[in-house]
Amino acid sequence: MMTHDDFLKIEKQFYAYTGPFVDRAEDPYPFVLKQEHTARVCRAMEMLCASLDLDGPETVRACAAAMVHDMGRFPQFAVFHTYADACSKNHAALGCREIVRSNMLSHLSVTDRQLILRAVALHNRPRLSQKLGRDLSLLARLLRDADKIDIFNVIKNHYLNPDSSHGFITYNLHDDGKIPETAARVLLETRQNDSSCVTTLNNMRIFQAGMIYDLNFPAAAAAILDLEVIPVLFGGISPSDLITRLAQALLDHLKALAASGS
Ligand SMILES: [Fe+2]
């Protein structure tokens, strides 16, 4: 069973692997942002595990998955200068490759290693299969929620303090000023995200909002509710009845999920 020391070894190797990307970069910010995102996802993961009363080894395994989940982001940005998987490579698959290559999970049992690799591989899928085993299902859903808690934090800060050199956060998509009617209507009706719509900044705002429908755990919903991110996400879109209805539906969903845990 995994111990806190196992986690500390993985944390050390994460910084050993990612540090050179920061040091070599002309602009280190995109890499530093991912290092900081990773540290915050680990904290969100601890919080989620505590909310579910998971035991020590399960919590350590989940935090280890959080620590390595975005390893692929570093070679992805170094090679392609983007975090858009569609324009480069699947960063989850890249990450699994780097995790295996760097041997950073080699001190774990085969079971823990496979669960973590599978959860990393699943962390950016549009949705999860219903047929995963109990341990993988739990780990994959935890990782997706912990990740989203900090994704909402990062994009909220970005939309509130836009910086022209940080456009990579929103894939350098341009703002055409149009209301993303189709994406908003589809999300309102299906409650499912469709990444093929993400061609403009406002469409991306709808896609990011749609991640709310993918959340699994009440504590994640409560954390995202506390961020008050929905008005920030939609603040950049000119007001319309459709957008107002979507914002309300998302808020209602978050509140219902958050309340289901108490
Ligand atoms: Fe992430």
Side-chain angles (χ1 to χ4, degrees):
M1 280 191 291
M2 283 185 70
T3 65
H4 185 62
D5 269 355
D6 293 324
F7 172 80
L8 292 178
K9 274 187 198 149
I10 294 165
E11 183 182 44
K12 205 172 152 193
Q13 296 210 53
F14 170 82
Y15 287 104
Y17 174 85
T18 60
F21 287 93
V22 175
D23 298 339
R24 284 194 304 252
E26 200 175 309
D27 174 13
Y29 183 72
F31 300 103
V32 172
L33 183 70
K34 285 298 175 192
Q35 282 183 328
E36 293 174 349
H37 163 69
T38 297
R40 288 188 301 258
V41 173
C42 290
R43 286 205 293 276
M45 185 63 99
E46 267 192 286
M47 180 279 289
L48 287 181
C49 292
S51 80
L52 296 169
D53 271 323
L54 297 190
D55 65 22
E58 253 177 336
T59 300
V60 171
R61 182 163 68 201
C63 291
M67 197 77 230
V68 299
H69 85 280
D70 264 350
M71 293 265 295
R73 288 304 195 183
F74 295 83
Q76 179 184 40
F77 204 89
V79 173
F80 301 102
H81 311 287
T82 180
Y83 285 135
D85 284 11
C87 307
S88 57
K89 281 198 169 149
N90 178 347
H91 78 277
L94 269 180
C96 287
R97 192 188 75 188
E98 293 310 292
I99 294 164
V100 171
R101 269 193 191 170
S102 64
N103 280 322
M104 64 196 292
L105 303 182
S106 58
H107 57 299
L108 306 184
S109 70
V110 176
T111 307
D112 284 324
R113 192 156 62 222
Q114 287 189 344
L115 280 169
I116 291 170
L117 280 168
R118 286 177 185 151
V120 169
L122 294 171
H123 93 273
N124 65 341
R125 296 280 171 90
R127 54 201 134 261
L128 284 180
S129 156
Q130 302 291 310
K131 294 178 203 154
L132 306 176
R134 183 256 173 205
D135 287 350
L136 179 57
S137 171
L138 176 64
L139 187 61
R141 288 180 299 127
L142 282 168
L143 183 54
R144 291 163 69 91
D145 278 25
D147 194 21
K148 286 185 180 76
I149 292 172
D150 193 61
I151 290 173
F152 280 117
N153 169 55
V154 168
I155 59 185
K156 178 190 167 187
N157 289 333
H158 176 65
Y159 287 132
L160 286 178
N161 310 294
D163 180 314
S164 57
S165 68
H166 298 170
F168 68 89
I169 293 172
T170 44
Y171 300 173
N172 292 304
L173 287 167
H174 84 113
D175 185 1
D176 63 359
K178 289 184 187 148
I179 298 169
E181 295 260 0
T182 308
R185 198 170 300 114
V186 168
L187 183 59
L188 197 55
E189 281 166 15
T190 66
R191 297 174 149 228
Q192 276 190 354
N193 249 340
D194 176 8
S195 65
S196 67
C197 295
V198 182
T199 50
T200 65
L201 183 64
N202 284 348
N203 274 299
M204 184 174 212
R205 291 172 186 270
I206 301 293
F207 179 81
Q208 290 166 332
M211 293 191 298
I212 284 172
Y213 285 130
D214 187 55
L215 293 170
N216 301 286
F217 298 106
I224 293 165
L225 209 47
D226 280 347
L227 284 173
E228 299 188 48
V229 66
I230 296 172
V232 178
L233 265 178
F234 291 155
I237 305 176
S238 17
S240 82
D241 181 49
L242 176 64
I243 297 297
T244 307
R245 275 190 292 136
L246 178 59
Q248 191 58 52
L250 289 161
L251 191 61
D252 291 346
H253 182 80
L254 268 184
K255 283 182 178 164
L257 180 55
S260 71
S262 51

